[in-house]
Amino acid sequence: MEIRITPLGAGQFVGKSCILIQLGPKTIMLDCGGHMGLKGNDRFPDFQLIPEGVNIDLLIISHFHLDHCAAMPILTEKYGYDGPIVMTPPTLAIIPLLLEDFLRVSESQNKREKPYTREMIHKCMSRVTPVNLHQSVMIDDDFEIIPFYAGHVLGAAMFYVRYGHQSAVYSGDFSMTSDRHLGCAKIKPLKPDVLITETTYGSSVRNSKSTRERNFLKRVQDCLSNGGKVLIPVFALGRAQELAILLETYWDRMGLTAPIYTATKLAEKANEYYRIFTQWTNEKIKQTYLEKNENIFDFKYIKSYEESNPNINGSEPMVILASPGMLHGGKSLEILRNWCSDEKNLVIIPGYCVKGTVGAALLSRPKGEKGRMKFPNGLDLEVNCTVIKISFSAHADKNGILSLITQCKPKNVICVHGDIKEMKPLSQLIKREFKIPSFCPKVNETISIPTQSRIPIRISRDLLKNNNTNNTILTNTNNNNNSSISGTMLFKDDKLYLLKGQEAIEMTRLKKFTLNFVETMECKGIHLHSKQWLLKIQNHILSKNTFIKEGSAKIIIAEQQNLIKIKGYSLNIQIQTDKIILKWSYKDEDLAMSVISFLQLLIEN
């Protein structure tokens, strides 16, 4: 048996996350995203790479970011996938808005490259089934999924997937550190056959959050004090709220008056989502909202760009949080065009930018370089402003990924959603630190993970109570553990049971028969002194104390019949002139074998 994993996207790069995993006869697609740095059909996974004859049984969407969900309507409405789709309730609520925004931006850039229609988005989303955290969902017989909290963005989840005895965990995007509005990822020690993990910052270790926050706020205030303007490209939901809370708190503490605007309609709708899904935020926000009935996202200093309509070409210093975060279009790119020529202005990029976007091009420019700059999308701009990156990304860094492996305890690791330069060192480190295989597959490269066949057996409670195991069978995971449990094995309704004999009889409604055994030991040439031999046998049985619990049975010696009986046990031992005859039933097999071995030693000596 083996598990097969094939990336259709996010193989040795970040973007269009789409992973096929085959567990037995089941094929699951993990995410179905797009690449914001590419154009046309290259933006989406190539579904023609799905092997002929392979049918997708389940689509799992980890969270609402477009690089994980943008290709959903293509899969369902163009390629005809009509099977189950699962995601968390916040993800289900937010994805339609992001898909429609993505469609609007695509239409504004090139109407000929319109990927799908609004009607296709609505039809696709109507197929979705929401699943809650820690909810065990049976997709089919012995086919189970369980979502776990991933941090990262509102509603993001890691998914445990099991079919039969094969299992996997898919991390999606996750964060192992809490921030100002979300908690950190948490998962049980599930010991899956394979963990498929993102590696966006797989070789990086970020500074502490407080250090980054101080640096961010200082750079913002310094720019404003010098008469400049600050553009912060952000994802509409997630980093927009995180940095808005940070700026709001700082403005209130320092008494600052420079205006702050959010230039994203989706971010302005965030209050509603965070009210509805308060249980997905961190403990501080839950407590503030539930106990004080206060919403931390009702900002005092941050205003809507659309409603305020500020003069962005005027001389007034200001801060604008605008989407998209990678500057591949939309309001953030529009504002960049207006501000980038002024060296007093500042652009702070807080998140990851995939190759091919304007954001990635700005960050790749040599430090301090000014002047004309040509971009991959054809833009040609005079860029004299300062561009810096201060990471507030909600992706796990190297230590966070290692922490997830420690929590989850997988047998193998597959690295995806990262640059190969980040992946390879991390993969080698995983092999050294955890002594488990680790792989970095390319797109359309299949990794096969061998798995051991395991047969589940249902053991009755009464059998466990009556066996002298002290629960070591259930709690000891050491492979060298020699603990055992005895019972009657029954195969019924395609399931295996280990039961007490009477339970098996009742379940099958069979008649009870007792199977008796007889062993005759020849002792020719040996003078058998009946009483002495009877006493030796008695002492052996009592001294061993292995098969008979102390005080639970009484040994009866009938000297006239040269016979030993044990009250409560079926074993009878009779000594005759030149032979010893033993009789017992199957339930006392171990006791009988012990006595026979002892008698063989006596006879041979």
Side-chain angles (χ1 to χ4, degrees):
M1 298 289 289
E2 63 181 15
I3 295 173
R4 294 168 61 83
I5 300 105
T6 308
L8 300 184
Q12 300 186 0
F13 64 86
V14 176
K16 52 180 173 183
S17 286
C18 187
I19 315 296
L20 285 185
I21 179 167
Q22 293 171 275
L23 303 177
K26 302 296 183 182
T27 300
I28 303 100
M29 181 176 285
L30 305 169
D31 281 334
C32 191
H35 193 299
M36 299 303 103
L38 300 176
K39 301 294 181 183
N41 291 332
D42 291 340
R43 290 177 290 181
F44 306 113
D46 184 357
F47 297 124
Q48 292 182 351
L49 294 177
I50 299 173
E52 188 175 348
V54 172
N55 295 315
I56 300 169
D57 298 287
L58 173 67
L59 171 59
I60 293 174
I61 301 296
S62 63
H63 64 289
F64 57 67
H65 278 158
L66 290 173
D67 61 325
H68 293 259
C69 70
M72 283 175 58
I74 295 175
L75 180 69
T76 59
E77 307 312 308
K78 290 188 177 181
Y79 281 83
Y81 173 69
D82 60 357
I85 305 172
V86 297
M87 59 185 71
T88 66
T91 303
L92 174 57
I94 295 168
I95 275 184
L97 302 175
L98 289 173
L99 290 180
E100 291 192 11
D101 187 62
F102 170 65
L103 182 60
R104 180 184 58 78
V105 172
S106 298
E107 288 174 334
S108 67
Q109 292 175 340
N110 189 339
K111 291 187 177 181
R112 294 180 181 179
E113 291 189 0
K114 185 176 178 179
Y116 35 73
T117 65
R118 285 168 178 77
E119 183 182 2
M120 291 167 71
I121 294 173
H122 297 153
K123 284 183 177 179
C124 172
M125 298 309 299
S126 69
R127 305 175 191 274
V128 175
T129 300
V131 293
N132 292 313
L133 289 178
H134 308 119
Q135 177 186 357
S136 173
V137 179
M138 300 305 296
I139 306 298
D140 201 348
D141 289 344
D142 226 9
F143 184 16
E144 176 188 30
I145 64 166
I146 305 175
F148 291 89
Y149 190 79
H152 188 63
V153 294
L154 188 70
M158 301 181 282
F159 279 84
Y160 170 74
V161 186
R162 179 189 64 81
Y163 179 78
H165 67 273
Q166 296 181 324
S167 62
V169 167
Y170 176 58
S171 74
D173 289 352
F174 69 100
S175 175
M176 295 302 286
T177 55
S178 59
D179 56 28
R180 289 177 177 266
H181 74 295
L182 295 175
C184 61
K186 293 179 182 178
I187 197 167
K188 296 178 180 179
L190 298 166
K191 300 179 182 178
D193 293 301
V194 61
L195 165 67
I196 304 170
T197 179
E198 67 135 319
T199 55
T200 313
Y201 292 103
S203 295
S204 306
V205 177
R206 288 195 289 269
N207 293 331
S208 69
K209 185 176 71 170
S210 59
T211 299
R212 285 178 279 132
E213 288 180 347
R214 283 196 301 270
N215 185 26
F216 172 82
L217 294 169
K218 183 179 185 305
R219 297 299 294 260
V220 170
Q221 189 169 6
D222 287 349
C223 177
L224 297 175
S225 299
N226 292 329
K229 305 178 181 72
V230 183
L231 170 63
I232 307 170
V234 289
F235 291 106
L237 283 160
R239 293 311 88 191
Q241 287 71 45
E242 181 70 11
L243 295 177
I245 295 170
L246 177 60
L247 289 167
E248 175 83 3
T249 305
Y250 187 69
W251 252 237
D252 188 58
R253 186 171 78 246
M254 301 299 292
L256 301 180
T257 58
I260 308 172
Y261 303 104
T262 54
T264 164
K265 292 182 180 179
L266 293 179
E268 292 161 15
K269 294 180 180 178
N271 288 2
E272 180 183 350
Y273 298 124
Y274 283 96
R275 273 195 296 269
I276 295 171
F277 302 111
T278 304
Q279 70 273 23
W280 289 79
T281 60
N282 63 23
E283 292 303 319
K284 183 178 179 180
I285 292 180
K286 289 178 190 175
Q287 185 177 6
T288 302
Y289 183 72
L290 296 176
E291 295 182 6
K292 300 180 182 179
N293 198 29
E294 295 178 3
N295 188 350
I296 197 171
F297 301 101
D298 288 337
F299 298 117
K300 176 182 177 182
Y301 298 95
I302 301 173
K303 308 298 181 183
S304 163
Y305 178 90
E306 296 290 335
E307 294 177 3
S308 303
N309 193 26
N311 180 12
I312 62 173
N313 293 317
S315 60
E316 182 185 24
M318 64 181 70
V319 179
I320 298 182
L321 298 121
S323 64
M326 299 185 191
L327 291 156
H328 55 278
K331 188 62 71 175
S332 62
L333 183 57
E334 177 188 326
I335 295 169
L336 176 73
R337 285 174 166 178
N338 284 273
W339 288 3
C340 64
S341 62
D342 191 339
E343 62 183 13
K344 291 187 298 183
N345 295 337
L346 172 66
V347 178
I348 301 178
I349 298 179
Y352 187 86
C353 295
V354 300
K355 188 176 180 179
T357 60
V358 171
L362 287 171
L363 291 174
S364 67
R365 195 182 200 192
K367 187 177 180 180
E369 185 176 303
K370 308 287 184 180
R372 303 301 297 181
M373 185 172 178
K374 292 184 178 181
F375 294 90
N377 62 355
L379 275 179
D380 188 346
L381 299 174
E382 183 76 18
V383 181
N384 298 320
C385 67
T386 300
V387 180
I388 60 173
K389 179 168 185 176
I390 302 177
S391 178
F392 286 90
S393 173
H395 292 274
D397 64 4
K398 178 179 72 175
N399 290 340
I401 296 167
L402 298 179
S403 177
L404 176 67
I405 295 171
T406 300
Q407 282 189 25
C408 187
K409 302 186 184 306
K411 300 179 181 69
N412 299 270
V413 173
I414 299 287
C415 297
V416 297
H417 195 286
D419 189 274
I420 188 61
K421 294 178 182 178
E422 297 275 344
M423 283 183 175
K424 277 194 172 180
L426 177 66
S427 184
Q428 295 299 322
L429 179 62
I430 292 169
K431 292 175 184 176
R432 290 196 306 270
E433 292 290 319
F434 296 96
K435 312 298 185 207
I436 57 176
S438 178
F439 307 91
C440 306
K442 298 180 291 188
V443 168
N444 203 32
E445 178 185 357
T446 298
I447 301 296
S448 297
I449 305 291
T451 60
Q452 294 181 345
S453 295
R454 294 188 293 271
I455 302 174
I457 299 177
R458 293 160 174 80
I459 305 176
S460 79
R461 291 183 180 180
D462 287 344
L463 185 65
L464 285 173
K465 289 177 183 177
N466 292 344
N467 270 263
N468 186 24
T469 61
N470 296 321
N471 290 329
T472 55
I473 303 230
L474 302 181
T475 59
N476 195 323
T477 57
N478 186 344
N479 290 331
N480 295 322
N481 175 33
N482 291 320
S483 299
S484 62
I485 185 168
S486 299
T488 301
M489 186 171 287
L490 175 66
F491 184 74
K492 184 180 181 183
D493 299 329
D494 295 325
K495 295 180 178 67
L496 275 175
Y497 299 87
L498 190 63
L499 311 166
K500 293 175 66 177
Q502 187 59 37
E503 290 175 322
I505 290 170
E506 292 172 359
M507 185 178 283
T508 58
R509 298 180 181 178
L510 295 174
K511 291 182 178 180
K512 182 177 179 179
F513 294 90
T514 300
L515 185 62
N516 293 311
F517 299 89
V518 177
E519 174 77 13
T520 300
M521 304 183 70
E522 299 290 342
C523 304
K524 293 181 180 179
I526 299 175
H527 178 67
L528 295 177
H529 192 286
S530 301
K531 186 173 182 179
Q532 288 182 357
W533 280 69
L534 291 172
L535 290 172
K536 287 179 180 180
I537 296 169
Q538 173 183 282
N539 291 336
H540 168 75
I541 294 171
L542 293 176
S543 66
K544 285 295 181 183
N545 200 28
T546 302
F547 306 102
I548 300 179
K549 297 177 184 177
E550 186 175 356
S552 68
K554 181 179 180 182
I555 297 178
I556 302 169
I557 298 179
E559 291 189 33
Q560 292 182 348
Q561 292 89 25
N562 296 328
L563 183 68
I564 289 182
K565 291 184 177 181
I566 306 171
K567 190 175 180 181
Y569 292 81
S570 62
L571 178 63
N572 291 342
I573 306 166
Q574 186 176 38
I575 298 178
Q576 297 183 1
T577 305
D578 56 356
K579 57 188 171 186
I580 303 173
I581 301 173
L582 297 91
K583 297 180 181 179
W584 70 94
S585 68
Y586 75 95
K587 67 176 184 176
D588 296 326
E589 179 79 5
D590 291 337
L591 174 60
M593 292 300 102
S594 174
V595 174
I596 289 172
S597 297
F598 172 68
L599 290 173
Q600 284 176 337
L601 288 174
L602 286 181
I603 293 168
E604 291 172 1
N605 295 327

